[in-house]
Coordinates of all heavy atoms in Angstrom, one line a residue:
M1 N 61.3 8.3 93.4 CA 61.5 6.8 93.3 C 60.2 6.1 93.2 O 59.3 6.3 94.0 CB 62.4 6.3 94.4 CG 62.6 4.9 94.4 SD 63.7 4.5 95.7 CE 63.1 2.9 96.2
T2 N 60.1 5.3 92.2 CA 58.8 4.5 92.0 C 59.0 3.1 92.6 O 60.0 2.4 92.2 CB 58.5 4.4 90.5 OG1 58.3 5.7 90.0 CG2 57.2 3.6 90.4
E3 N 58.2 2.7 93.5 CA 58.3 1.4 94.1 C 57.1 0.6 93.7 O 55.9 1.1 93.7 CB 58.3 1.6 95.7 CG 58.5 0.3 96.4 CD 58.6 0.5 97.9 OE1 59.6 1.2 98.3 OE2 57.8 0.0 98.6
K4 N 57.3 -0.6 93.4 CA 56.2 -1.5 93.0 C 55.2 -1.7 94.2 O 55.6 -1.8 95.3 CB 56.7 -2.9 92.6 CG 55.6 -3.7 92.0 CD 56.2 -4.9 91.3 CE 55.1 -5.7 90.7 NZ 55.5 -6.8 89.9
T5 N 53.9 -1.7 93.9 CA 52.9 -1.9 94.9 C 52.2 -3.2 94.7 O 52.1 -3.7 93.6 CB 51.9 -0.8 94.9 OG1 51.2 -0.7 93.6 CG2 52.5 0.6 95.2
Y6 N 51.6 -3.7 95.8 CA 50.9 -5.0 95.7 C 49.6 -4.8 96.5 O 49.6 -4.1 97.5 CB 51.8 -6.1 96.4 CG 53.1 -6.3 95.8 CD1 54.2 -5.7 96.4 CD2 53.3 -7.1 94.7 CE1 55.5 -5.8 95.8 CE2 54.6 -7.3 94.2 CZ 55.6 -6.7 94.8 OH 56.9 -6.8 94.2
N7 N 48.6 -5.6 96.1 CA 47.3 -5.5 96.8 C 47.0 -6.9 97.3 O 47.3 -7.9 96.8 CB 46.2 -5.0 95.9 CG 46.3 -3.6 95.5 OD1 46.9 -2.8 96.2 ND2 45.8 -3.2 94.4
C8 N 46.3 -6.9 98.5 CA 45.8 -8.1 99.1 C 44.8 -8.8 98.2 O 43.8 -8.1 97.8 CB 45.2 -7.8 100.5 SG 44.5 -9.3 101.3
P9 N 44.9 -10.1 97.9 CA 43.9 -10.8 97.1 C 42.6 -11.0 97.8 O 41.6 -11.3 97.2 CB 44.6 -12.1 96.7 CG 45.5 -12.3 97.8 CD 46.0 -11.0 98.3
H10 N 42.5 -10.7 99.1 CA 41.3 -11.0 99.9 C 40.5 -9.7 100.1 O 39.3 -9.8 100.3 CB 41.7 -11.6 101.3 CG 42.5 -12.8 101.1 ND1 42.0 -14.1 100.8 CD2 43.9 -13.1 101.2 CE1 42.9 -15.0 100.8 NE2 44.1 -14.4 100.9
C11 N 41.2 -8.6 100.1 CA 40.4 -7.3 100.4 C 40.8 -6.2 99.5 O 40.2 -5.1 99.6 CB 40.6 -6.9 101.9 SG 42.2 -6.3 102.3
Q12 N 41.8 -6.4 98.6 CA 42.3 -5.4 97.7 C 43.0 -4.2 98.3 O 43.3 -3.2 97.7 CB 41.2 -5.0 96.7 CG 40.5 -6.1 96.0 CD 41.4 -7.1 95.3 OE1 42.3 -6.7 94.7 NE2 41.2 -8.4 95.6
T13 N 43.2 -4.3 99.6 CA 44.0 -3.2 100.3 C 45.5 -3.3 99.9 O 46.0 -4.4 99.7 CB 43.9 -3.4 101.8 OG1 42.5 -3.2 102.2 CG2 44.7 -2.3 102.5
R14 N 46.1 -2.1 99.7 CA 47.5 -2.1 99.4 C 48.3 -2.7 100.5 O 48.1 -2.3 101.7 CB 47.9 -0.6 99.2 CG 49.3 -0.5 98.7 CD 49.6 1.0 98.4 NE 51.0 1.1 98.1 CZ 51.6 2.3 97.7 NH1 50.9 3.3 97.7 NH2 52.8 2.3 97.5
L15 N 49.2 -3.6 100.1 CA 50.1 -4.3 101.1 C 51.1 -3.3 101.6 O 51.6 -2.5 100.8 CB 50.7 -5.5 100.6 CG 49.8 -6.6 100.0 CD1 50.6 -7.7 99.4 CD2 48.8 -7.1 101.1
A16 N 51.4 -3.4 102.9 CA 52.4 -2.5 103.5 C 53.8 -3.2 103.5 O 53.8 -4.4 103.9 CB 52.0 -2.1 104.9
P17 N 54.8 -2.5 103.2 CA 56.2 -3.1 103.3 C 56.4 -3.3 104.8 O 56.1 -2.4 105.7 CB 57.1 -2.1 102.7 CG 56.4 -0.8 102.7 CD 54.9 -1.1 102.7
W18 N 57.0 -4.4 105.2 CA 57.2 -4.8 106.6 C 58.6 -5.4 106.8 O 59.0 -6.3 106.0 CB 56.1 -5.8 107.0 CG 56.2 -6.4 108.3 CD1 55.9 -5.8 109.5 CD2 56.6 -7.8 108.6 NE1 56.1 -6.7 110.5 CE2 56.6 -7.9 110.0 CE3 57.0 -8.8 107.9 CZ2 56.9 -9.1 110.7 CZ3 57.4 -10.0 108.5 CH2 57.3 -10.1 109.9
T19 N 59.3 -5.0 107.8 CA 60.6 -5.5 108.0 C 60.6 -6.8 108.7 O 59.9 -7.0 109.8 CB 61.4 -4.5 109.0 OG1 61.4 -3.2 108.4 CG2 62.8 -5.0 109.2
V20 N 61.2 -7.8 108.1 CA 61.3 -9.2 108.7 C 62.2 -9.2 109.9 O 63.3 -8.7 109.8 CB 61.8 -10.2 107.6 CG1 61.9 -11.5 108.2 CG2 60.9 -10.1 106.4
P21 N 61.7 -9.7 111.0 CA 62.6 -9.8 112.2 C 63.9 -10.6 111.9 O 63.8 -11.5 111.1 CB 61.7 -10.5 113.3 CG 60.3 -10.3 112.8 CD 60.4 -10.2 111.3
E22 N 64.9 -10.3 112.6 CA 66.2 -11.0 112.4 C 66.2 -12.5 112.5 O 66.9 -13.2 111.9 CB 67.3 -10.4 113.3 CG 67.7 -9.0 112.9 CD 68.8 -8.4 113.7 OE1 69.6 -9.3 114.2 OE2 69.0 -7.2 113.8
M23 N 65.4 -13.0 113.4 CA 65.4 -14.5 113.7 C 64.6 -15.3 112.7 O 64.6 -16.5 112.7 CB 64.9 -14.7 115.1 CG 65.7 -14.1 116.2 SD 67.4 -14.6 116.3 CE 67.2 -16.3 116.9
V24 N 64.0 -14.6 111.8 CA 63.2 -15.3 110.8 C 64.1 -15.7 109.6 O 64.9 -14.9 109.2 CB 62.0 -14.4 110.3 CG1 61.2 -15.1 109.2 CG2 61.1 -14.1 111.5
C25 N 63.9 -16.9 109.0 CA 64.8 -17.3 108.0 C 64.2 -17.1 106.5 O 64.7 -17.7 105.6 CB 65.1 -18.8 108.2 SG 63.7 -19.9 108.2
W26 N 63.3 -16.2 106.4 CA 62.9 -15.9 105.0 C 64.0 -15.2 104.4 O 64.7 -14.4 105.0 CB 61.6 -15.0 105.0 CG 60.4 -15.7 105.4 CD1 60.1 -17.0 105.2 CD2 59.3 -15.1 106.2 NE1 58.8 -17.3 105.7 CE2 58.4 -16.2 106.3 CE3 59.1 -13.9 106.8 CZ2 57.2 -16.0 107.0 CZ3 57.9 -13.7 107.4 CH2 56.9 -14.7 107.6
G27 N 64.2 -15.4 103.1 CA 65.4 -14.8 102.4 C 65.3 -13.3 102.3 O 66.3 -12.6 102.4
S28 N 64.1 -12.7 102.1 CA 64.0 -11.3 101.9 C 63.9 -10.6 103.3 O 63.3 -11.1 104.2 CB 62.6 -11.0 101.2 OG 62.6 -11.7 99.9
K29 N 64.5 -9.4 103.3 CA 64.5 -8.6 104.5 C 63.2 -7.8 104.7 O 62.9 -7.3 105.7 CB 65.7 -7.7 104.6 CG 67.0 -8.4 104.7 CD 68.2 -7.5 104.9 CE 69.5 -8.2 105.0 NZ 69.6 -9.2 106.1
V30 N 62.5 -7.7 103.6 CA 61.2 -7.0 103.5 C 60.1 -7.9 102.9 O 60.4 -8.5 101.8 CB 61.3 -5.6 102.8 CG1 60.0 -5.0 102.6 CG2 62.3 -4.7 103.4
Q31 N 59.0 -8.0 103.5 CA 57.9 -8.7 103.0 C 56.7 -7.6 102.9 O 56.8 -6.6 103.5 CB 57.4 -9.8 104.0 CG 58.5 -10.8 104.3 CD 58.5 -11.9 103.3 OE1 57.5 -12.5 103.0 NE2 59.7 -12.2 102.8
F32 N 55.7 -8.0 102.1 CA 54.6 -7.1 102.0 C 53.4 -7.8 102.7 O 53.1 -9.0 102.4 CB 54.3 -6.8 100.5 CG 55.2 -5.7 100.0 CD1 56.5 -6.1 99.6 CD2 54.8 -4.4 99.9 CE1 57.4 -5.1 99.1 CE2 55.6 -3.4 99.4 CZ 56.9 -3.8 99.0
V33 N 52.7 -7.1 103.6 CA 51.7 -7.6 104.4 C 50.4 -6.8 104.4 O 50.5 -5.6 104.3 CB 52.2 -7.8 105.9 CG1 51.2 -8.3 106.8 CG2 53.5 -8.6 106.0
C34 N 49.3 -7.5 104.5 CA 48.0 -6.8 104.6 C 47.8 -6.5 106.1 O 47.5 -7.5 106.8 CB 46.9 -7.7 104.0 SG 45.3 -6.9 104.2
F35 N 47.8 -5.3 106.5 CA 47.5 -4.9 107.9 C 46.1 -4.3 108.0 O 45.8 -3.7 109.0 CB 48.6 -4.0 108.4 CG 49.8 -4.6 108.7 CD1 50.9 -4.6 107.9 CD2 50.0 -5.4 109.9 CE1 52.1 -5.3 108.2 CE2 51.1 -6.0 110.3 CZ 52.2 -6.0 109.4
N36 N 45.2 -4.6 107.1 CA 43.8 -4.2 107.2 C 43.1 -5.1 108.2 O 43.0 -6.3 108.0 CB 43.1 -4.3 105.8 CG 41.6 -4.0 105.9 OD1 41.2 -3.5 106.9 ND2 41.0 -4.3 104.8
D37 N 42.7 -4.5 109.3 CA 42.0 -5.2 110.4 C 40.6 -5.7 109.9 O 40.1 -6.5 110.6 CB 41.9 -4.4 111.6 CG 43.2 -4.1 112.3 OD1 44.2 -4.9 112.0 OD2 43.3 -3.2 113.1
E38 N 40.1 -5.2 108.8 CA 38.8 -5.7 108.4 C 38.9 -6.7 107.3 O 37.9 -7.2 106.7 CB 38.0 -4.5 107.9 CG 37.8 -3.3 108.9 CD 37.3 -3.8 110.2 OE1 36.3 -4.6 110.2 OE2 37.8 -3.4 111.3
C39 N 40.1 -7.1 106.9 CA 40.3 -8.0 105.8 C 39.7 -9.4 106.2 O 39.9 -9.9 107.3 CB 41.8 -8.2 105.6 SG 42.2 -9.5 104.3
P40 N 38.9 -10.0 105.3 CA 38.2 -11.2 105.7 C 39.2 -12.4 106.0 O 38.9 -13.2 106.8 CB 37.4 -11.5 104.4 CG 37.7 -10.6 103.4 CD 38.5 -9.5 104.0
Y41 N 40.4 -12.4 105.3 CA 41.4 -13.4 105.6 C 41.8 -13.3 107.1 O 41.9 -14.3 107.8 CB 42.6 -13.2 104.7 CG 43.7 -14.2 104.7 CD1 43.4 -15.5 104.2 CD2 44.9 -13.9 105.2 CE1 44.5 -16.4 104.2 CE2 46.0 -14.8 105.2 CZ 45.7 -16.1 104.7 OH 46.7 -17.0 104.7
F42 N 42.0 -12.1 107.6 CA 42.5 -11.9 108.9 C 41.3 -12.1 109.9 O 41.5 -12.8 110.9 CB 43.0 -10.4 109.1 CG 43.2 -10.0 110.5 CD1 44.3 -10.5 111.2 CD2 42.4 -9.0 111.1 CE1 44.5 -10.1 112.5 CE2 42.7 -8.6 112.4 CZ 43.7 -9.1 113.1
V43 N 40.1 -11.6 109.6 CA 38.9 -11.8 110.5 C 38.6 -13.2 110.6 O 38.4 -13.7 111.8 CB 37.7 -10.9 109.9 CG1 36.5 -11.2 110.6 CG2 38.1 -9.4 109.9
K44 N 38.5 -14.0 109.5 CA 38.2 -15.4 109.6 C 39.3 -16.2 110.3 O 39.0 -17.3 110.8 CB 37.9 -16.0 108.2 CG 36.6 -15.4 107.7 CD 36.4 -15.9 106.3 CE 35.2 -15.2 105.6 NZ 35.0 -15.5 104.2
G45 N 40.5 -15.7 110.2 CA 41.6 -16.5 110.8 C 41.5 -16.7 112.3 O 42.0 -17.8 112.8
W46 N 40.8 -15.8 113.0 CA 40.6 -16.0 114.5 C 39.9 -17.3 114.8 O 40.3 -18.1 115.6 CB 39.9 -14.8 115.1 CG 40.8 -13.6 115.0 CD1 40.7 -12.5 114.1 CD2 41.9 -13.2 115.8 NE1 41.6 -11.6 114.4 CE2 42.4 -12.0 115.4 CE3 42.5 -13.9 116.9 CZ2 43.5 -11.4 116.0 CZ3 43.6 -13.3 117.5 CH2 44.1 -12.0 117.1
D47 N 38.7 -17.5 114.1 CA 37.9 -18.7 114.3 C 38.7 -19.9 113.8 O 38.6 -21.0 114.5 CB 36.6 -18.5 113.6 CG 35.6 -17.6 114.2 OD1 35.8 -17.3 115.4 OD2 34.8 -17.0 113.5
W48 N 39.3 -19.8 112.7 CA 40.0 -21.0 112.1 C 41.1 -21.4 113.1 O 41.3 -22.6 113.4 CB 40.6 -20.6 110.8 CG 41.0 -21.8 110.0 CD1 40.3 -22.6 109.2 CD2 42.4 -22.5 110.0 NE1 41.0 -23.6 108.7 CE2 42.3 -23.6 109.2 CE3 43.5 -22.2 110.7 CZ2 43.4 -24.4 109.0 CZ3 44.6 -23.0 110.5 CH2 44.5 -24.1 109.6
M49 N 41.9 -20.5 113.6 CA 43.0 -20.9 114.5 C 42.5 -21.4 115.8 O 43.0 -22.4 116.4 CB 43.9 -19.7 114.8 CG 44.7 -19.2 113.6 SD 46.0 -20.4 113.1 CE 47.3 -20.0 114.3
R50 N 41.4 -20.9 116.3 CA 40.8 -21.4 117.5 C 40.2 -22.8 117.3 O 40.4 -23.7 118.2 CB 39.6 -20.4 117.9 CG 39.3 -20.5 119.4 CD 38.3 -19.3 119.8 NE 39.0 -18.0 119.7 CZ 38.5 -17.0 118.9 NH1 37.4 -17.2 118.2 NH2 39.1 -15.9 118.8
S51 N 39.6 -23.0 116.2 CA 39.0 -24.4 116.0 C 40.0 -25.4 115.6 O 39.9 -26.6 116.0 CB 37.9 -24.3 114.8 OG 38.5 -24.1 113.6
K52 N 41.1 -25.1 115.0 CA 42.1 -26.0 114.5 C 43.2 -26.2 115.6 O 43.6 -27.4 115.8 CB 42.8 -25.6 113.2 CG 41.9 -25.6 112.1 CD 41.4 -26.9 111.7 CE 40.5 -26.8 110.4 NZ 39.9 -28.1 110.1
Y53 N 43.6 -25.2 116.3 CA 44.7 -25.3 117.2 C 44.4 -24.8 118.6 O 45.3 -24.9 119.5 CB 45.9 -24.4 116.6 CG 46.4 -24.9 115.3 CD1 46.1 -24.1 114.1 CD2 47.1 -26.1 115.2 CE1 46.6 -24.6 112.9 CE2 47.5 -26.6 114.0 CZ 47.2 -25.8 112.8 OH 47.7 -26.2 111.6
E54 N 43.2 -24.4 118.9 CA 42.8 -23.9 120.2 C 43.7 -22.8 120.7 O 44.1 -22.9 121.9 CB 42.7 -25.1 121.2 CG 41.7 -26.2 120.7 CD 41.6 -27.3 121.7 OE1 42.2 -27.3 122.8 OE2 40.9 -28.3 121.4
V55 N 44.0 -21.9 119.9 CA 44.8 -20.8 120.3 C 44.1 -19.5 119.8 O 43.3 -19.5 118.9 CB 46.2 -20.8 119.6 CG1 47.0 -22.0 120.1 CG2 46.1 -20.8 118.1
N56 N 44.4 -18.5 120.6 CA 43.8 -17.1 120.3 C 44.8 -16.4 119.4 O 45.6 -15.7 119.9 CB 43.5 -16.3 121.6 CG 42.7 -15.1 121.3 OD1 41.9 -15.1 120.3 ND2 42.9 -14.1 122.1
A57 N 44.7 -16.7 118.1 CA 45.6 -16.1 117.1 C 44.9 -16.0 115.8 O 43.8 -16.6 115.6 CB 46.9 -16.9 117.1
S58 N 45.5 -15.3 114.9 CA 45.0 -15.2 113.5 C 46.2 -15.2 112.6 O 47.3 -15.5 113.0 CB 44.1 -14.0 113.3 OG 43.5 -14.1 112.0
Y59 N 46.0 -14.7 111.4 CA 47.1 -14.6 110.4 C 46.7 -13.5 109.4 O 45.6 -13.2 109.2 CB 47.4 -15.9 109.7 CG 46.2 -16.7 109.3 CD1 45.4 -16.3 108.2 CD2 45.7 -17.8 110.1 CE1 44.2 -17.0 107.9 CE2 44.6 -18.5 109.8 CZ 43.9 -18.1 108.7 OH 42.7 -18.8 108.4
R60 N 47.8 -12.9 108.9 CA 47.6 -11.9 107.8 C 48.2 -12.4 106.5 O 49.1 -13.2 106.6 CB 48.3 -10.6 108.3 CG 47.6 -10.0 109.5 CD 48.2 -8.6 109.9 NE 47.6 -8.0 111.0 CZ 46.5 -7.3 111.0 NH1 45.8 -7.2 109.9 NH2 46.1 -6.8 112.1
Y61 N 47.7 -11.9 105.4 CA 48.3 -12.2 104.1 C 49.7 -11.6 104.0 O 49.9 -10.5 104.3 CB 47.4 -11.8 103.0 CG 48.0 -12.0 101.6 CD1 47.9 -13.3 101.1 CD2 48.6 -11.0 100.9 CE1 48.4 -13.5 99.8 CE2 49.1 -11.2 99.7 CZ 49.0 -12.5 99.1 OH 49.6 -12.7 97.9
R62 N 50.6 -12.5 103.5 CA 52.0 -12.0 103.4 C 52.5 -12.4 102.0 O 52.2 -13.4 101.5 CB 52.9 -12.7 104.4 CG 54.4 -12.5 104.3 CD 55.2 -13.4 105.1 NE 54.9 -14.8 104.9 CZ 55.4 -15.5 103.9 NH1 56.3 -14.9 103.1 NH2 55.1 -16.8 103.7
L63 N 53.3 -11.5 101.4 CA 53.9 -11.7 100.1 C 55.4 -11.4 100.1 O 55.8 -10.4 100.6 CB 53.2 -10.9 99.0 CG 53.9 -10.9 97.6 CD1 53.7 -12.2 96.9 CD2 53.4 -9.7 96.8
D64 N 56.2 -12.3 99.6 CA 57.6 -12.1 99.5 C 57.9 -11.5 98.1 O 57.6 -12.2 97.1 CB 58.4 -13.4 99.6 CG 59.9 -13.2 99.6 OD1 60.4 -12.3 98.9 OD2 60.7 -14.0 100.2
P65 N 58.3 -10.3 97.9 CA 58.4 -9.6 96.6 C 59.5 -10.2 95.8 O 59.5 -10.1 94.6 CB 58.6 -8.2 96.9 CG 59.3 -8.2 98.3 CD 58.6 -9.4 99.0
E66 N 60.5 -10.8 96.4 CA 61.6 -11.4 95.7 C 61.3 -12.7 95.0 O 61.7 -13.0 93.9 CB 62.8 -11.5 96.6 CG 63.4 -10.1 96.9 CD 64.7 -10.2 97.7 OE1 65.3 -11.3 97.8 OE2 65.0 -9.2 98.4
T67 N 60.5 -13.6 95.8 CA 60.3 -14.9 95.2 C 58.8 -15.1 94.7 O 58.6 -16.1 94.1 CB 60.5 -15.9 96.4 OG1 59.5 -15.7 97.4 CG2 61.9 -15.8 96.9
G68 N 58.0 -14.2 95.2 CA 56.5 -14.3 94.8 C 55.8 -15.3 95.8 O 54.6 -15.5 95.6
E69 N 56.5 -15.9 96.7 CA 55.9 -16.8 97.7 C 54.9 -15.9 98.5 O 55.2 -14.8 98.9 CB 56.9 -17.3 98.6 CG 56.3 -18.2 99.7 CD 57.3 -18.5 100.8 OE1 58.5 -18.1 100.8 OE2 56.9 -19.2 101.8
E70 N 53.7 -16.5 98.8 CA 52.7 -15.9 99.6 C 52.2 -16.9 100.6 O 52.4 -18.1 100.4 CB 51.6 -15.4 98.7 CG 50.9 -16.5 97.9 CD 49.9 -16.0 96.9 OE1 49.7 -14.8 96.8 OE2 49.3 -16.9 96.2
G71 N 51.7 -16.3 101.7 CA 51.2 -17.2 102.7 C 50.8 -16.5 104.0 O 50.8 -15.2 104.0
P72 N 50.4 -17.2 105.0 CA 50.0 -16.5 106.3 C 51.1 -16.1 107.1 O 52.2 -16.7 107.2 CB 49.2 -17.7 107.0 CG 49.9 -18.9 106.5 CD 50.3 -18.6 105.1
L73 N 50.9 -14.9 107.8 CA 51.8 -14.4 108.8 C 51.1 -14.5 110.1 O 50.1 -13.7 110.3 CB 52.2 -13.0 108.4 CG 53.1 -12.3 109.5 CD1 54.5 -12.9 109.5 CD2 53.3 -10.8 109.1
P74 N 51.4 -15.4 111.0 CA 50.7 -15.6 112.2 C 50.8 -14.3 113.1 O 51.9 -13.7 113.2 CB 51.4 -16.7 112.9 CG 52.1 -17.4 111.8 CD 52.5 -16.4 110.8
V75 N 49.6 -13.9 113.8 CA 49.6 -12.8 114.7 C 48.8 -13.2 115.9 O 47.9 -14.0 115.8 CB 49.1 -11.5 114.0 CG1 50.0 -11.0 113.0 CG2 47.7 -11.7 113.5
W76 N 49.1 -12.6 117.0 CA 48.4 -12.9 118.3 C 47.5 -11.7 118.8 O 46.9 -11.9 119.8 CB 49.5 -13.2 119.4 CG 50.5 -12.2 119.5 CD1 50.5 -11.1 120.4 CD2 51.7 -12.0 118.7 NE1 51.6 -10.3 120.2 CE2 52.3 -10.9 119.2 CE3 52.2 -12.7 117.6 CZ2 53.5 -10.4 118.6 CZ3 53.4 -12.3 117.1 CH2 54.1 -11.1 117.6
S77 N 47.5 -10.7 118.1 CA 46.7 -9.5 118.3 C 46.5 -8.7 117.1 O 47.2 -8.8 116.1 CB 47.2 -8.7 119.5 OG 48.3 -7.9 119.0
R78 N 45.6 -7.7 117.1 CA 45.4 -6.8 116.0 C 46.6 -5.9 115.7 O 46.9 -5.6 114.6 CB 44.2 -5.9 116.2 CG 42.8 -6.7 116.2 CD 41.7 -5.7 116.7 NE 41.3 -4.7 115.7 CZ 40.3 -4.9 114.9 NH1 39.5 -5.9 115.0 NH2 40.1 -3.9 114.0
D79 N 47.3 -5.7 116.8 CA 48.5 -4.8 116.6 C 49.8 -5.5 116.5 O 50.9 -4.9 116.3 CB 48.6 -3.8 117.8 CG 47.4 -2.8 117.8 OD1 46.9 -2.5 116.7 OD2 47.0 -2.4 118.9
A80 N 49.7 -6.8 116.6 CA 51.0 -7.6 116.6 C 51.7 -7.3 115.3 O 51.1 -7.4 114.2 CB 50.7 -9.1 116.7
L81 N 53.0 -7.1 115.3 CA 53.9 -6.9 114.2 C 53.8 -5.6 113.4 O 54.5 -5.3 112.5 CB 53.8 -8.1 113.2 CG 54.0 -9.5 113.8 CD1 53.8 -10.6 112.8 CD2 55.4 -9.6 114.4
K82 N 52.8 -4.8 113.9 CA 52.6 -3.5 113.2 C 53.8 -2.6 113.4 O 54.0 -1.7 112.6 CB 51.3 -2.8 113.6 CG 50.1 -3.5 113.0 CD 48.8 -2.7 113.4 CE 47.6 -3.4 112.8 NZ 46.3 -2.7 113.2
D83 N 54.6 -2.8 114.4 CA 55.8 -2.0 114.6 C 56.8 -2.2 113.6 O 57.8 -1.4 113.5 CB 56.3 -2.2 116.0 CG 56.8 -3.6 116.3 OD1 56.3 -4.5 115.6 OD2 57.6 -3.8 117.2
G84 N 56.7 -3.2 112.7 CA 57.6 -3.5 111.7 C 57.3 -2.8 110.3 O 58.0 -3.0 109.3
I85 N 56.1 -2.1 110.3 CA 55.7 -1.5 109.1 C 56.7 -0.4 108.7 O 57.0 0.4 109.5 CB 54.3 -0.9 109.2 CG1 53.2 -2.0 109.4 CG2 53.9 -0.1 107.9 CD1 51.8 -1.6 109.7
I86 N 57.1 -0.4 107.4 CA 58.1 0.6 107.0 C 57.2 1.8 106.5 O 56.5 1.7 105.6 CB 58.9 0.0 105.9 CG1 59.7 -1.2 106.4 CG2 59.8 1.1 105.3 CD1 60.4 -2.0 105.3
V87 N 57.4 2.9 107.2 CA 56.7 4.1 106.9 C 57.5 4.9 105.8 O 58.7 5.1 106.0 CB 56.5 5.0 108.1 CG1 55.7 6.3 107.8 CG2 55.7 4.2 109.2
D88 N 56.8 5.3 104.7 CA 57.4 6.0 103.7 C 57.5 7.5 104.2 O 56.5 8.2 104.4 CB 56.5 6.0 102.4 CG 57.1 6.7 101.3 OD1 58.1 7.4 101.4 OD2 56.6 6.5 100.1
Q89 N 58.7 7.9 104.4 CA 59.0 9.3 105.0 C 58.5 10.4 104.1 O 58.1 11.4 104.5 CB 60.5 9.4 105.3 CG 61.0 8.5 106.4 CD 60.3 8.7 107.7 OE1 60.0 9.8 108.1 NE2 60.0 7.6 108.4
E90 N 58.4 10.1 102.8 CA 58.0 11.1 101.8 C 56.5 11.4 101.9 O 56.0 12.4 101.6 CB 58.4 10.7 100.4 CG 59.9 10.7 100.1 CD 60.2 10.2 98.8 OE1 59.3 10.0 97.9 OE2 61.4 10.0 98.5
K91 N 55.7 10.4 102.4 CA 54.3 10.5 102.5 C 53.8 11.0 103.8 O 52.6 11.1 104.0 CB 53.6 9.2 102.1 CG 53.9 8.8 100.7 CD 53.2 7.5 100.3 CE 53.4 7.2 98.8 NZ 52.9 5.9 98.5
K92 N 54.8 11.1 104.8 CA 54.4 11.6 106.2 C 54.0 13.0 106.2 O 54.4 13.8 105.4 CB 55.5 11.4 107.1 CG 55.5 10.0 107.8 CD 56.6 10.0 108.8 CE 56.0 9.3 110.1 NZ 57.0 9.3 111.2

């Protein structure tokens, strides 16, 4: 099965399919997210969130494959939300 792939516009890393939590109202059940901890969007997000909102948080690049909507996915740690990454069983 061939699945479409997407890359992060900030670091060019392949976006990982990620399961949207049930309480979130995005239409798609799967979003594509950059989980590269070295991505400049994620790295700079810590300072930006601290300076704008005085919180210890950052954000990751997110893409909705159904609508094309893109935006930040807020995170509170490097490992936050990584448990929702969909692992391709064929590549394990």
Side-chain angles (χ1 to χ4, degrees):
M1 178 174 145
T2 302
E3 184 175 300
K4 187 168 182 174
T5 61
Y6 304 94
N7 291 335
C8 176
H10 304 280
C11 68
Q12 305 311 312
T13 297
R14 184 175 175 179
L15 301 179
W18 173 75
T19 303
V20 176
E22 288 187 24
M23 299 300 287
V24 176
C25 59
W26 289 324
S28 303
K29 295 190 181 296
V30 175
Q31 302 274 310
F32 282 77
V33 178
C34 178
F35 282 102
N36 174 11
D37 291 341
E38 306 305 318
C39 177
Y41 186 70
F42 172 70
V43 171
K44 292 176 184 174
W46 294 100
D47 288 337
W48 194 89
M49 291 292 282
R50 203 171 294 120
S51 69
K52 297 291 183 190
Y53 298 109
E54 297 181 8
V55 295
N56 190 27
S58 184
Y59 39 78
R60 295 185 181 279
Y61 175 78
R62 174 193 57 82
L63 172 70
D64 183 329
E66 291 183 15
T67 66
E69 177 193 359
E70 56 187 5
L73 177 65
V75 291
W76 54 93
S77 73
R78 292 172 74 99
D79 293 328
L81 305 177
K82 286 184 177 177
D83 59 341
I85 295 172
I86 300 170
V87 178
D88 186 348
Q89 296 297 323
E90 294 177 7
K91 293 181 180 176
K92 270 187 136 181

